[in-house]
Amino acid sequence: MAMNDSVNILNSAYLAVEYIDSFLPDNPLQQPFKNAWNYMLDNYTKFQIATWGSLIVHEVSYFLLCVPGFVFQFIPYMQKYKIQQDKPETWEKQWKCFKTLLFNHFFIQLPLICGTYYFTEYFNIPYEWEEMPRWYVLVAQCFGCAVIEDAWHYFLHRLLHHKRIYKYIHKVHHEFVSPFGMQAEYAHPLETLILGAGFFIGIVVFCNHVVLLWAWVICRLMETIDVHSGYDVPLNPLHLVPFYAGARFHDFHHMNFIGNYASTFTWWDRIFGTDSQFIAYQEKEKKKQFITKK
């Protein structure tokens, strides 16, 4: 009975969104995107699309999303939004981070990306434009992937902080006490594999088109670069996502090396009480601000 009720609720929600979508104006970018997608299918093999397409999407998205945080360090006005204002970025740290990123991207992640084609073939995941899911289905699938990855990340990330293994793997990521966007994937190769595995679970569960692979890559990078940016910028659209952790939440983890283990949402830390120090810290900061204003 409960299962039937859940299915009915999901079907009703889907019909409601579809009804609202019917009143929205046509997307002017849809036809150019369709033409580009079909051109890609006509001129490249599925292996090339799955492998090199995925690599390009990842690399371009990663470094473009890093640009705002990188530029902020040169804008005096933005410094009031920097969370750890006493720890500015340095060229030395950023260059070291960039070199490690290139190694991880091309010697750790690229071999994994090369398996994308075989993954899509094994699960019969389509590439055709006609089978591409509607935008709201894609959004729902990405949210589902984020929920699954967040659970994986919380428990495995917390395990990596265990005193017996922390110094061997996760300590690399904590080399920078004050994080910056480009540092999001700065990690030990084993950590890249361990925590990165959570990315693929949602794909196995939800993927019904290769476009979800790329959409989820962009969403995940957008989130992880934002929480590592070191800046808590107002009017951040990601703050509209329910239970979104944000930069201040994760920045505290880098400052204190404990608590706030989840990647995207706050609920796992709330359930297990691993955000208690963060909550106490926030209350302390509010009191400081109140006294300063008086």
Side-chain angles (χ1 to χ4, degrees):
M1 182 66 71
M3 180 65 73
N4 290 334
D5 290 343
S6 299
V7 171
N8 290 333
I9 291 171
L10 290 173
N11 287 337
S12 298
Y14 179 85
L15 291 173
V17 174
E18 196 171 47
Y19 178 74
I20 295 171
D21 183 57
S22 66
F23 289 97
L24 296 176
D26 292 336
N27 184 353
L29 299 177
Q30 183 172 348
Q31 190 59 44
F33 181 58
K34 178 181 179 181
N35 294 337
W37 190 271
N38 286 329
Y39 177 86
M40 177 183 70
L41 293 178
D42 291 338
N43 291 274
Y44 300 96
T45 66
K46 285 185 176 180
F47 178 82
Q48 291 172 323
I49 293 170
T51 305
W52 304 117
S54 297
L55 178 66
I56 291 169
V57 167
H58 180 272
E59 295 305 303
V60 171
S61 299
Y62 191 91
F63 289 106
L64 279 181
L65 289 168
C66 286
V67 168
F70 179 79
V71 172
F72 287 166
Q73 65 184 307
F74 304 111
I75 304 175
Y77 176 80
M78 296 303 297
Q79 296 313 300
K80 64 181 179 179
Y81 300 121
K82 183 168 172 57
I83 300 167
Q84 298 187 53
Q85 297 190 6
D86 59 331
K87 296 182 177 66
E89 296 91 345
T90 66
W91 285 108
E92 181 184 2
K93 289 181 178 179
Q94 290 176 96
W95 176 240
K96 182 180 181 180
C97 178
F98 180 71
K99 290 187 293 183
T100 302
L101 277 179
L102 291 183
F103 175 83
N104 283 351
H105 284 185
F106 290 98
F107 291 95
I108 306 298
Q109 295 181 8
L110 180 56
L112 296 175
I113 290 173
C114 288
T116 304
Y117 166 74
Y118 303 100
F119 171 84
T120 60
E121 287 295 293
Y122 181 81
F123 288 101
N124 293 317
I125 296 172
Y127 289 62
E128 290 71 24
W129 173 266
E130 291 72 21
E131 299 187 55
M132 189 177 294
R134 301 293 296 274
W135 66 269
Y136 44 85
V137 175
L138 204 57
V139 169
Q141 289 174 330
C142 286
F143 184 78
C145 288
V147 170
I148 293 172
E149 190 281 334
D150 185 67
W152 176 273
H153 191 99
Y154 176 85
F155 292 104
L156 271 295
H157 182 197
R158 189 172 177 179
L159 177 63
L160 289 175
H161 272 270
H162 192 281
K163 60 183 179 180
R164 291 187 178 181
I165 59 176
Y166 171 78
K167 64 181 179 180
Y168 299 110
I169 301 175
H170 193 53
K171 186 178 180 180
V172 174
H173 183 67
H174 277 279
E175 184 176 333
F176 305 113
V177 177
S178 178
F180 47 91
M182 192 167 55
Q183 190 228 339
E185 291 186 344
Y186 180 88
H188 190 284
L190 275 178
E191 179 174 341
T192 300
L193 295 173
I194 293 169
L195 295 185
F199 172 89
F200 297 97
I201 301 173
I203 296 296
V204 173
V205 174
F206 296 109
C207 198
N208 58 354
H209 196 280
V210 72
V211 75
L212 177 63
L213 289 167
W214 296 350
W216 172 222
V217 165
I218 295 170
C219 288
R220 178 69 180 111
L221 291 179
M222 191 183 304
E223 176 276 323
T224 191
I225 291 170
D226 175 59
V227 301
H228 285 92
S229 67
Y231 291 84
D232 187 18
V233 181
L235 303 179
N236 184 338
L238 288 175
H239 291 163
L240 297 175
V241 178
F243 301 101
Y244 180 66
R248 196 168 290 276
F249 186 86
H250 192 71
D251 206 280
F252 181 83
H253 175 78
H254 276 266
M255 277 194 289
N256 296 275
F257 304 96
I258 191 170
N260 295 10
Y261 297 111
S263 59
T264 306
F265 305 107
T266 57
W267 50 58
W268 287 113
D269 284 287
R270 289 184 181 180
I271 290 170
F272 291 100
T274 46
D275 64 344
S276 58
Q277 291 191 27
F278 175 65
I279 292 172
Y281 173 78
Q282 283 186 310
E283 290 299 322
K284 186 177 179 181
E285 289 298 306
K286 285 180 182 177
K287 288 180 181 178
K288 280 184 180 179
Q289 291 177 5
F290 180 74
I291 293 171
T292 303
K293 287 180 180 179
K294 290 182 71 176

